[in-house]
Amino acid sequence: MNRNRHYPTGGNLVRYSFTDGRNGFVGKLLDRKTSRRVSPANVWGWAVLIMFILMTIMQGCASAPKRNPLPENLSNEALIPGYSANIRFWGDGPPPYMEKWYTASQAKVEHMFPDIVGHEQVYMAVSGGGENGAYGVGILMGWTAAGTRPEFAMVTGISTGALIAPFAFLGPDYDARLKEAYTGMTVKDIIKKRGVLATLRMDAATDTTPLKNHIAQYVDQGVIDAIAGEYRRGRRLFIGTTNLDAIRPVLWNIGMIAASGRPDAADLIRTILLASASIPGAFPPQYIPVEANGVRYDEIHVDGGTVEQAFLYPLGVDWRIVEKRLKIKGRPRGYIIRNSRLRPDWVSVNPPEMLKIAGRAADSLIRTQGIGDLYRMYLAAERDGIDYYWTAIPDDFDEKSKDMFDPEYMQKLLKVGYDRAKSGKAWQTEPPKYRVK
């Protein structure tokens, strides 16, 4: 069998001949007029021309946004224009304002936390996990149905957990909205795929404008006003992102932003939520404007799960002092929803292509990091005198998703979480396979 195609090289046409040989198809360049084989020099010219055409096409494609990155030496001074420095802080250390808070007058503490001082304290952390966040939605709804769901003094969220956390924070009245917002999503509500050539020059393989619009639909001004109201009561909502330049976690005080009264507060909150769920490479990062020494720069923020899958409260905080200042009644409790299975899933990497290998390696990293986070939070809770509870997708849940954010899969997973929480059998009090000799 013989197949011919014609290509231009230097004004002359060549025919590329595919011959069915003993070891498969063999190709060679032939002169169109003489049918003689083209010399290596002409082959090189043909290759250069093709590369030139590809480069020309790529030049016409959209490219990654131009940046004015914040210099490293200004990383601790940069502010979000118009906002207090306290709306965010590095997540791998204590908030910089804590030392002043430890020594503030009791009257000031009670003014900041009017409905928190003197009450029981319950904290909630919601992890990443993509569409597996349906499990966390089910846990919250089943907990409501059981009649035992507490009001959380503090809620934290990362990645898909960042999209759940605002509704977990606002309480059972928002369960229906949370279910609709989360399990009603399909892949078209999240991303628009980009072409191969565009992907090579852009900052991600997809466009997340649909997800941005979806977040704006459900985290509307009413939700933001409600978050602001709870912040004034003393309750706290923190969302984690990753500053990609610094490769460090950043924790955002969403209630403080909501209560700022600024006209751009809603946009900033939605950008933070989107950034926290923006998987690097797959989803575009979010570029957040900052200012230092009177000069405008930008920071690049991506999925908080690139540095940690969940956090119960900021690191480095002396919780014994917090307990004393807030006059906490009884022993605090911390709950962690891990939106993932803990057992490894067997997947044959075949064919062993680069993207499949990289994807499985990422799955392994996320799984082991998540288990490590459960241990980290357990040790901190033990140190700080906090009762520790966690839940994860049970190992015997064997359903497979047919596509990203498959509605049928999410509904089944939601029911698993709902039934476990309603029955009171969802929670464990020691990390996975933890044994004390």
Side-chain angles (χ1 to χ4, degrees):
M1 183 174 69
N2 192 284
R3 296 178 182 175
N4 297 313
R5 290 185 181 178
H6 297 91
Y7 300 93
T9 62
N12 298 317
L13 285 175
V14 297
R15 186 172 76 250
Y16 193 66
S17 176
F18 288 96
T19 304
D20 192 0
R22 296 177 62 184
N23 297 316
F25 287 105
V26 177
K28 56 184 179 180
L29 284 171
L30 306 176
D31 185 276
R32 185 185 182 190
K33 294 181 179 179
T34 65
S35 294
R36 293 178 180 176
R37 191 166 185 167
V38 179
S39 69
N42 283 342
V43 172
W44 176 248
W46 175 81
V48 169
L49 178 63
I50 295 299
M51 289 298 296
F52 175 77
I53 293 171
L54 287 174
M55 291 176 65
T56 302
I57 294 172
M58 290 173 66
Q59 288 291 335
C61 296
S63 59
K66 294 187 181 297
R67 295 191 58 202
N68 185 23
L70 178 72
E72 181 181 0
N73 65 307
L74 298 177
S75 61
N76 292 323
E77 301 174 28
L79 301 175
I80 307 298
Y83 289 89
S84 162
N86 293 340
I87 67 166
R88 65 184 193 152
F89 51 90
W90 296 115
D92 51 7
Y97 52 77
M98 285 306 297
E99 289 297 328
K100 290 184 178 179
W101 188 87
Y102 292 149
T103 58
S105 69
Q106 189 61 31
K108 183 174 181 179
V109 171
E110 294 183 9
H111 176 74
M112 293 174 64
F113 301 93
D115 292 346
I116 299 298
V117 173
H119 291 80
E120 294 182 348
Q121 298 280 291
V122 185
Y123 316 121
M124 165 61 69
V126 191
S127 85
E131 64 190 350
N132 287 332
Y135 177 74
V137 175
I139 288 288
L140 291 165
M141 294 179 64
W143 208 349
T144 298
T148 56
R149 178 174 164 182
E151 180 180 77
F152 306 116
M154 179 166 59
V155 176
T156 70
I158 278 181
S159 194
T160 200
L163 307 181
I164 297 171
F167 304 103
F169 177 73
L170 293 177
D173 289 346
Y174 287 79
D175 281 359
R177 177 177 286 218
L178 172 59
K179 180 181 179 183
E180 180 184 343
Y182 207 88
T183 62
M185 283 192 291
T186 62
V187 69
K188 67 180 178 60
D189 297 312
I190 301 170
I191 59 171
K192 291 191 294 186
K193 295 181 180 179
R194 290 170 171 162
V196 175
L197 291 179
T199 298
L200 292 174
R201 293 183 54 80
M202 295 290 285
D203 53 6
T206 65
D207 176 357
T208 50
T209 299
L211 179 56
K212 181 178 180 180
N213 295 335
H214 189 82
I215 291 171
Q217 178 183 351
Y218 288 96
V219 185
D220 58 19
Q221 191 60 49
V223 167
I224 290 169
D225 290 343
I227 292 172
E230 295 305 312
Y231 171 80
R232 296 186 185 100
R233 291 181 56 211
R235 300 176 63 221
R236 296 294 182 260
L237 171 63
F238 290 104
I239 298 298
T241 65
T242 298
N243 182 315
L244 198 57
D245 291 322
I247 54 172
R248 294 178 68 185
V250 177
L251 306 187
W252 299 81
N253 188 333
I254 300 300
M256 180 177 284
I257 298 171
S260 68
R262 289 188 53 84
D264 59 352
D267 285 340
L268 178 57
I269 289 170
R270 293 165 188 156
T271 297
I272 293 165
L273 297 178
L274 182 56
S276 185
S278 293
I279 305 165
F283 294 177
Q286 297 301 301
Y287 303 89
I288 298 180
V290 295
E291 187 174 285
N293 293 341
V295 179
R296 290 291 181 101
Y297 300 98
D298 65 73
E299 295 176 347
I300 184 169
H301 287 256
V302 299
D303 195 325
T306 61
V307 288
E308 57 187 354
Q309 294 297 306
F311 66 100
L312 194 54
Y313 49 84
L315 290 173
V317 174
D318 190 330
W319 218 255
R320 301 293 183 178
I321 298 178
V322 172
E323 186 176 356
K324 183 177 180 180
R325 300 306 310 270
L326 295 180
K327 300 179 182 179
I328 295 174
K329 182 180 178 181
R331 188 176 168 95
R333 289 174 286 151
Y335 291 87
I336 302 147
I337 297 176
R338 176 76 182 110
N339 290 306
S340 177
R341 298 176 185 86
L342 298 184
R343 68 168 171 81
D345 289 330
W346 182 279
V347 175
S348 295
V349 184
N350 188 37
E353 297 168 344
M354 179 185 67
L355 292 179
K356 289 184 178 181
I357 292 171
R360 285 299 284 167
D363 290 343
S364 174
L365 177 63
I366 291 169
R367 174 182 169 272
T368 54
Q369 181 191 45
I371 293 172
D373 287 336
L374 288 174
Y375 273 86
R376 169 179 53 79
M377 290 182 280
Y378 173 75
L379 294 173
E382 282 286 290
R383 178 197 64 197
D384 295 332
I386 297 172
D387 288 340
Y388 169 92
Y389 302 88
W390 68 275
T391 186
I393 298 173
D395 287 348
D396 59 4
F397 179 75
D398 290 324
E399 295 289 334
K400 301 294 184 183
S401 175
K402 298 181 181 66
D403 195 2
M404 181 188 294
F405 285 86
D406 173 10
E408 183 179 351
Y409 171 83
M410 290 194 293
Q411 289 290 348
K412 291 178 179 178
L413 186 53
L414 184 147
K415 187 176 186 308
V416 170
Y418 181 93
D419 290 344
R420 297 189 81 202
K422 187 176 180 181
S423 69
K425 298 178 180 178
W427 304 103
Q428 300 187 52
T429 58
E430 292 181 343
K433 299 182 180 179
Y434 182 78
R435 296 289 183 270
V436 178
K437 293 183 179 179

